[in-house]
Structure formats: structure tokens, C-alpha cells
Amino acid sequence: MLGLDKKDTSLLIIVAILTMFAPFILNPFPTGSAMAQFNAGYPDLMQRFVIFGIFAIGFNILFGLTGYLSFGHAAFLGVGSYSAVWMMKLLTMNVIPAIILSVIVAGLFALLIGYISLRRSGIYFSILTLAFAQMSFNLAYSVLTPITNGETGLQIALSDPRILDGENAARYTNLFGLEMNDTYRLALGGWSFDFNAGYYLCALIMLAAFYLAIRIFRSPFGMMLRAIKSNQQRLNYTGLNSRPYTLAAFVISGMYAGLAGGLMASMDPLAGAERMQWTASGEVVLMTILGGAGTLIGPVLGAGFIKYFENIFSKINDNVLHNWFAFMPDGLEDFMVTIVHPFVGKGWHLTLGLMFMAVVIFLPGGLVEGGQKIAKLFRSRKNADKTPPDTSTKPAE
């Protein structure tokens, strides 16, 4: 189906089911229950799951498939956001032109940076990309204030021209009249499910981006990128010039990041320089490694995992902890709150860091490897249960 083999088709269907039914899957607990703290099925967070999933999918093409570690991919995320906001300020609040422009501008910017950075490899390439990203951040923060609005950030205003919209200019970002913040809430018993227009647009685009990544992985171009990762020097000895392939991978990866930035601005029309900081670049590296670098679904899982921790565990404060341990005697309750406190709220990075260390040490292949080991364990047990006992007798010696 769609030019994919059976395994890839199954993987695409699984991702499609997870994204389409995310409002149900991410809201397992009733709204009024104590465990509702761990629900993640509200529109803003679901949008972040799929947008950063796109960001990680693109980064995985460069890092996981080609072997080039970039510490500056947030620059393309920021450029995509600025481009989308400018499109919405000048032409129309329709998100399609904004998304298209963000991909094009990010691709051109990636072509420029990649052409220079790919003259080196290894750690030197990583440092060059980091330097370009920090230069971009500082330019956006101070030098290019007329374009980026500096530390305040670029946002839309009622006085913006929006030439294509004319007098009937929409107040919110939309898709041919369907506003991105339109949300239908379905109440079933104690549960509440939100179906957001912006989320489903992002989800459909992520599915298209995921499908394109599968085609890249399985194409002759993808095979060439794997050869570069395996041994680029030996490939050069055969007479093949690897630079056009690495540059193409860098540009494609940058366009994915620009697409993610354009979607972020389309859901919330604001672009700030903080999206170009080195920490944002480091975050997508963590997402890819945590999920499984070089795998197809790994970066999506890693992005969802980190964004879940960032948005859910960071909101657990002492009041929530006291409610959790209220059944204990006062002294023991305070003791448990003191023990757990450093790992939640503002200390959620500590929990994430410990989990990242555990994954790197015990599961070098990331969450995907963990899932494969669990599946293999269940298969081996199932086969063992099906194997009939050996009732044959052997003569005594």
C-alpha cells in the first residue's frame, strides 16, 4: 500500500491510529479523579507531541540515518516560526501559505549553513552547527530586532495589513475558515475528550512527514546515507562524492524543522528567539536518542515522552504530593513529600536525566529496543507454551 511493504504499512497504520485516537488514549483517567493529573489529552499538549515529533523525524534523517550530529537544528525551527508569523502578518491568516513559506525559508537557510558546515565532519561539524545556531539566536535577539522584535517576540496585531484577507480578515489562524482553536468537547461519564482542529491538522501533516521519512529510509538515497554513516571514507575511495548526499540530507532535515516551526506559529502565532537557543537543539537530540536513533518510530516516541514529562511532571507541586500521601501519618507524609519533591515540579529534569541515563546504559537502541525486547520475551513464552513436552523415552546406558 502506498509503495510500502507489509511491515512499513503496518507501522504507518499504527502511528495513524495512535494520532487519530490520541484524545482517547491520552485521557485514561476520569476528570475528577486524583490520577487526572497524568492525563495529557488537552489540545495544546497534543499539538506539541506531533509538532516535536515532526522535528525529531527530520533530525533523525540527518543523525540517525546519515550519522551527522547537529547541535544547531533549533535555528531552522526558529526561522520557520518567524517566516510563518510574517506571512500571517502581511498576507493572510490562512495557515497553508505560512507553512509552505516556513518550509522554503528553512530549506534555503539549511542549504547555506550545510554548505559551510559539511566541509567538516564529526565533532567539528557539530561545533560549527552549534556556532551558527547561537549566531542566529543572537541576531534574532538583538541585531535583527526590526524583523524579529527582539526579546519581546514577533506576533500578529490587528493593524497588520493581511493583503489577501482584505476587510474580512480573520482574527485567528485558520484553514480556509476552520479556526485552529476550534475544539469539540465530548463528555462520556466521568471522562472528557477534546477534539481540536489544530491538532488534527498537525497530526495529518505528521503522518505525511512520517510516510515521507519511510520512503527516504527505503530508497536508494537512504541506502547511500546509510553507507555514509557506516564508512564515509571507504565510500569516497570508491569514487563516489558523498557531499551532495549529506547536503541533501541536511537540507531535508532543516525543512522538517522549518515545518515544525511553521506549525508552532500556526497554532500560536508567536515567534521568539528562545526557539533558536542551543537548549532547543539539545532537546531534539535527546528525543531522537531516547526514542531510538536510526529507527522510524523512535523519534516520535522520544518526542512524546519528553514533552509529556515537561508538561505533566513539571506541574506536580507540593500540594499535589500532599494529596497523594494524605492517607499516611503526618510525619511519614511530610517525609515522602520531601523525598519525591526533588524529582517533580521544577526538578523534573532530574527524573528525565535519570531515565535518560538508564536508557543509554541498558537500552542503547532507545525505547524501540525496549519494546522489541518485551515483544521478543512474549513471543518466546508463547512459543514455549505451544511446544509439546518431549515424551520420548531413551534406552538406559
Side-chain angles (χ1 to χ4, degrees), residues 165-334:
D165 287 346
E167 296 180 356
N168 299 321
R171 296 182 61 187
Y172 300 102
T173 56
N174 64 86
L175 177 65
F176 304 109
L178 177 63
E179 294 182 353
M180 294 295 96
N181 60 354
D182 281 351
T183 303
Y184 172 72
R185 177 161 294 177
L186 174 65
L188 292 176
W191 284 264
S192 179
F193 308 102
D194 292 332
F195 301 89
N196 176 256
Y199 164 73
Y200 278 103
L201 173 64
C202 295
L204 290 173
I205 293 176
M206 193 206 75
L207 287 175
F210 186 74
Y211 169 74
L212 180 60
I214 295 176
R215 298 304 301 266
I216 291 174
F217 268 64
R218 306 305 184 214
S219 66
F221 173 68
M223 293 292 291
M224 184 62 71
L225 296 183
R226 284 195 180 89
I228 292 171
K229 180 181 180 180
S230 177
N231 196 321
Q232 185 173 359
Q233 188 174 15
R234 183 177 297 176
L235 185 67
N236 291 333
Y237 286 158
T238 64
L240 291 172
N241 184 8
S242 61
R243 278 203 66 192
Y245 295 96
T246 55
L247 182 58
F250 192 90
V251 172
I252 293 171
S253 184
M255 293 172 74
Y256 267 83
L259 173 61
L263 286 172
M264 289 177 68
S266 298
M267 300 304 109
D268 182 15
L270 172 67
E274 71 279 353
R275 290 181 183 172
M276 308 175 81
Q277 276 189 305
W278 66 270
T279 51
S281 297
E283 193 174 42
V284 74
V285 176
L286 290 179
M287 290 174 181
T288 307
I289 295 176
L290 186 63
T295 63
L296 285 166
I297 198 173
V300 180
L301 297 178
F305 191 86
I306 289 181
K307 284 301 164 184
Y308 179 85
F309 266 85
E310 179 183 341
N311 288 271
I312 301 299
F313 276 66
S314 62
K315 293 179 181 178
I316 300 176
N317 53 31
D318 286 352
N319 291 331
V320 176
L321 294 178
H322 278 291
N323 289 332
W324 287 359
F325 301 113
F327 65 93
M328 296 181 175
D330 291 342
L332 186 58
E333 176 187 336
D334 294 338

Side-chain angles (χ1 to χ4, degrees), residues 84-93 101 156 160-165:
V85 176
W86 269 114
M87 174 63 80
M88 288 184 282
K89 287 173 71 68
L90 297 177
L91 293 181
T92 177
M93 290 291 283
L101 181 66
I156 61 174
D160 293 332
R162 287 195 275 277
I163 299 171
L164 296 182
D165 287 346

Side-chain angles (χ1 to χ4, degrees), residues 364-383:
L367 298 175
V368 170
E369 181 182 348
Q372 291 172 344
K373 287 186 175 181
I374 294 173
K376 184 178 180 181
L377 179 63
F378 277 104
R379 282 197 299 267
S380 61
R381 287 185 177 180
K382 187 176 180 180
N383 293 334

Side-chain angles (χ1 to χ4, degrees), residues 69-139:
L69 176 58
S70 169
F71 285 135
H73 252 52
F76 311 124
L77 183 76
V79 166
S81 295
Y82 282 120
S83 302
V85 176
W86 269 114
M87 174 63 80
M88 288 184 282
K89 287 173 71 68
L90 297 177
L91 293 181
T92 177
M93 290 291 283
N94 192 317
V95 297
I96 296 299
I99 292 171
I100 293 174
L101 181 66
S102 65
V103 173
I104 294 173
V105 173
L108 294 174
F109 193 47
L111 179 63
L112 174 63
I113 292 180
Y115 182 79
I116 300 172
S117 301
L118 287 168
R119 294 176 180 272
R120 294 291 180 265
S121 60
I123 188 63
Y124 304 105
F125 166 79
S126 302
I127 295 301
L128 277 172
T129 56
L130 176 61
F132 275 115
Q134 285 303 102
M135 287 167 56
S136 302
F137 166 73
N138 286 300
L139 287 171

